[in-house]
Amino acid sequence: MRNRERTGIQGLSRRSLLKSGAGLAGLMAAAPGALWAQETPQEGGTLRIAMTADIQPQAILAGRGGNDAFRHNVFDTLTVLDGESGQPKGMLATDWSSSEDGLTFTVQIRDDVTFHSGRPLTADDVVFTLEQMKVPENASQMRPLVEQWTSIEATGEHEVTITSDSPVAPRVFDVFQLAVIVDQETFAGLQDGSEIIGTGPFRFEEWVPGASVRMVANEDYWGEGPYLDAVELNVINDPTAMANAIRGQVDVVLNLTPRDQIMFTGDPSVEVFEGAGGTFYPLGIDVNAAPFDNKALRQAIGYAIDRERIIDQVFDGAGETADVWWRTNEPGSTDEINNHYSYDPDRARELIAEAGAEGADVPMQVIGFGAVPAVYEIVQNNLRDVGLNPVGQVLETAAFDQGQTAGELGPVFMQIHGLQGFSAATLVDALPALRPNNPSKFDPPEYRQLKDALQAAQDEEAYAAALGELAEFMLDEAFSHVLVKTTPLHLKTPQVHGLEFYNVGYLQLGQAWLG
Amino acid sequence: MLHFLAKRLPSVALMLVVTAVIAFLLPRLGGGDPAQVVAGSDATAEQVQAIREQMGLDRPLPVQFAEWVGQVATGDLGTSLISNRPVAQLIGARLGSTLELAVTATALMIVMGLGLGILAGITRKGAPRALLDGAISVLLATPPHVTGLILILIFGITWRLMPITGEVSVFDDPVRGFSYLIMPAFALALPQAAMIARLVDARMAQVRQEEFVDLAVAKGVPPRRILLSHVLRNSLGTAVIATGIRIGEILAGAVVIEAIFARQGLGMLAVTSISSRDYEVVQIIVLFAVVIAVLVHFASEILLAALDPRIRLDG
């Protein structure tokens, strides 16, 4: 297996590019670590957080935006993924090992953990949780991976062994990141949120669906903290109203729009910072729909789009113009791969001429969610500029998602994906744009073989080679163009300390405190 | 009055049945799928289908409709498809917020509408008249969300006198509760008050031309008494009917105002339920809105009859 360092949790201190007002300038002069960690934590207080989406306890085993600030506070996972390196760090797991052939994976679990109900955590609970990942109704994105495992067994009171016909690690750590360990005795209570029992630093207290959630400190938490007495999550659907809530109503605002951050420029009472995780904005092309069955035309679209302009005009500079569907520092990624389709309208025109597609209509379905319609405005302008005729239709999220699930989105479509932070080996079978039955209808045998080679790679060198080969193939086939990747922007007041974001953007408040 | 209510029962019943059919069908015709919402945008077709079956959405529509009507008839408002919580509980949790906003906005609307209307009605010429006309026109033309944003900019951000988002129940803390309530209620009430003011003003001008007013003047009735007993009383019927209709507008406007001021009322519940295709919640909210509209209409008619002796409810 790949050599993974256990340094997982990503504190804001290590990554954040902070943008804020004058008050923050002084803070930025200090070492980043000092910003968030050096002061002695103070106990007490209620941390109030605003977010746009409600929690979804029935989908706690899936990656959902609404659960980002909830799942790792009421629940724990076996391991979490580091924000910068993507390497796993033990939480409920104290140790893990892989067999020589990689087909057997064994994980040791802490023996001092109790659920909020008072019942001790055992290996059976871990087995139950991992088995639940397979249940379709639980909607976990990691279901295809867990289904590949041939057995999940408790081989000791605090030991679980996973076997598979294909190597279990390293993708098992992506599964673990989503697999919050649930209490099998009260699992049914997650359906309506009437009983939410985990092992995390906070106990669930109350949920008013669509409005708010309250969690209180778990005094028997196995780890350090929590320092806060309670945490309140407030759902505010209107993004501007949510951003404004930082002016007295809440202490932290999660996922504000780039447009709304402008309101806080020069405001010393508010700090704007980038978190981990983020969003992909892919443009997909149906490789069977004429004239897009011509690879040259698909590649032309890649060269026609001015990604820098999207970042500047739509996201106010908060994002990157990478062409790959995974982290740009994933082993095997190179500058050539990450920036394969640099903006080159002349090259695009040549390829369009080569494909004989001058003036071709480009029917596009666009998800009417977040910034995608704004991104479309630039894309359609770029395509028109190189001699194509884009005809866009913005669809409501619910209707678009139906088409995405069915793999039917028309010849060209603009999607939005989360899950940023998981490994490439996992994403190629989890992201709707890339998985089997993707709406691009792209699934040739070579694609599967290259994915299999990546997923079977057991050391970093083999992984890097396999990923490079897969990336080059995918970029050449040009069935899905990642237009931009954005990182989430958050707000906090200077009184808030110790926020921790895991690699995929999940917030953990066990070490958080109010000054 | 009982006869009046009894006479209207069949039409109300018919309206509720039609509303129930529309409320049931409309969200389902809009595309999307609550199973997809629960499964998430990354879900596979198999996951969505499993959730659809779990929700019972794979059954024929007439079966689902019959089950829902049967439930509602027995007082069971159903269970949210998204949160799996009882719809009655979800509405109950939001009702207080919307009622506080609607009642405050209605009170402001009546006070400001009548006040401005009467002031305009008795100010018949000169600069004050032009000023009142201009003010009423501006208020009429400014939608609640624009008024709300202006209030936020002035009183929330520039002067920082009022909280701009969130809410506290006036029953828990009256002072803080009203501080959160006053701006959204004002924003909601102002255009509606201007409409009432315009109607009262126009009706007062019309009543002044009536013969009975001329007769009163000829008989030497004091102007103040003519204004209050003859002109104003005979002008209020219009205001009462308009107020009834405007309450409906206030409830509709609450959807936008709740979003701007981050209040968790029924309007926001309706919006999120529609976008998440939570049919069970949407259906009940639509029915609820129609019932409220019918009740307000009845109340207007009864009040109108009390004000105008020529109108008899039982006639």
Side-chain angles (χ1 to χ4, degrees), chain A residues 348-432:
Chain A
R349 288 187 198 97
E350 282 171 26
L351 287 165
I352 289 168
E354 184 186 320
E358 295 99 329
D361 284 342
V362 184
M364 299 176 74
Q365 296 212 19
V366 180
I367 185 169
F369 181 83
V372 185
V375 174
Y376 165 71
E377 290 303 323
I378 293 176
V379 169
Q380 64 96 14
N381 182 274
N382 288 155
L383 294 182
R384 216 174 288 284
D385 190 43
V386 295
L388 296 173
N389 181 34
V391 185
Q393 183 190 11
V394 177
L395 295 180
E396 199 193 1
T397 307
F400 186 94
D401 284 350
Q402 264 188 310
Q404 180 163 275
T405 295
E408 295 294 342
L409 283 172
V412 182
F413 42 89
M414 289 182 61
Q415 302 162 286
I416 182 168
H417 291 332
L419 298 182
Q420 202 171 133
F422 290 110
S423 71
T426 294
L427 290 176
V428 290
D429 276 338
L431 283 179

Side-chain angles (χ1 to χ4, degrees), chain B residues 185-241:
Chain B
F186 233 89
L188 205 48
L190 273 178
Q192 313 305 336
M195 175 65 80
I196 290 173
R198 184 69 92 204
L199 288 171
V200 170
D201 174 31
R203 181 67 185 149
M204 281 177 75
Q206 201 179 10
V207 172
R208 279 181 199 282
Q209 310 302 320
E210 298 280 351
E211 288 178 355
F212 66 87
V213 176
D214 291 340
L215 181 64
V217 173
K219 284 168 71 177
V221 178
R224 184 183 171 81
R225 194 169 159 202
I226 290 174
L227 177 71
L228 292 177
S229 302
H230 294 74
V231 177
L232 193 55
R233 180 162 185 187
N234 285 292
S235 304
L236 287 183
T238 312
V240 168
I241 292 291

Side-chain angles (χ1 to χ4, degrees), chain B residues 103-121:
Chain B
V103 168
T104 311
T106 303
L108 282 172
M109 173 184 77
I110 292 170
V111 171
M112 292 189 299
L114 286 181
L116 267 177
I118 293 168
L119 200 60

Side-chain angles (χ1 to χ4, degrees), chain B residues 59-81:
Chain B
R59 296 171 303 159
L61 277 186
V63 174
Q64 293 181 46
F65 180 70
E67 186 184 274
W68 176 60
V69 170
Q71 276 177 357
V72 174
T74 56
D76 177 2
L77 302 185
T79 304
S80 160
L81 294 170

Side-chain angles (χ1 to χ4, degrees), chain A residues 9 11 35 47 62 167 198 201 215 224 230 251 274 303 312 330 371 376 400-401 407 457 473 501 511:
Chain A
I9 297 177
L35 262 176
L47 182 72
M215 304 175 275
E224 189 187 341
D251 310 296
E274 287 184 1
Y303 286 114
D312 289 344
E330 186 97 357
Y376 165 71
F400 186 94
D401 284 350
F473 174 73
F501 287 87
Q511 311 295 309

Side-chain angles (χ1 to χ4, degrees), chain B residues 81-241:
Chain B
L81 294 170
I82 305 301
S83 69
N84 292 314
R85 290 285 178 94
V87 175
Q89 189 188 92
L90 296 180
I91 290 179
R94 307 295 191 94
L95 191 59
S97 170
T98 297
L99 280 180
E100 285 179 8
L101 179 61
V103 168
T104 311
T106 303
L108 282 172
M109 173 184 77
I110 292 170
V111 171
M112 292 189 299
L114 286 181
L116 267 177
I118 293 168
L119 200 60
I122 59 176
T123 311
R124 298 166 68 185
K125 52 188 174 185
R129 173 74 210 185
L131 190 68
L132 279 168
D133 268 346
I136 291 173
S137 296
V138 168
L139 293 178
L140 255 178
T142 312
H145 65 275
V146 175
T147 314
L149 292 175
I150 292 171
L151 290 174
I152 285 174
L153 276 174
I154 297 173
F155 297 105
I157 294 175
T158 307
W159 291 343
R160 301 199 177 197
L161 294 174
M162 301 274 185
I164 52 181
T165 58
E167 61 191 305
V168 171
S169 171
V170 289
F171 297 105
D172 293 341
D173 185 339
V175 175
R176 282 190 70 210
F178 272 111
S179 73
Y180 277 95
L181 202 51
I182 199 71
M183 282 206 295
F186 233 89
L188 205 48
L190 273 178
Q192 313 305 336
M195 175 65 80
I196 290 173
R198 184 69 92 204
L199 288 171
V200 170
D201 174 31
R203 181 67 185 149
M204 281 177 75
Q206 201 179 10
V207 172
R208 279 181 199 282
Q209 310 302 320
E210 298 280 351
E211 288 178 355
F212 66 87
V213 176
D214 291 340
L215 181 64
V217 173
K219 284 168 71 177
V221 178
R224 184 183 171 81
R225 194 169 159 202
I226 290 174
L227 177 71
L228 292 177
S229 302
H230 294 74
V231 177
L232 193 55
R233 180 162 185 187
N234 285 292
S235 304
L236 287 183
T238 312
V240 168
I241 292 291

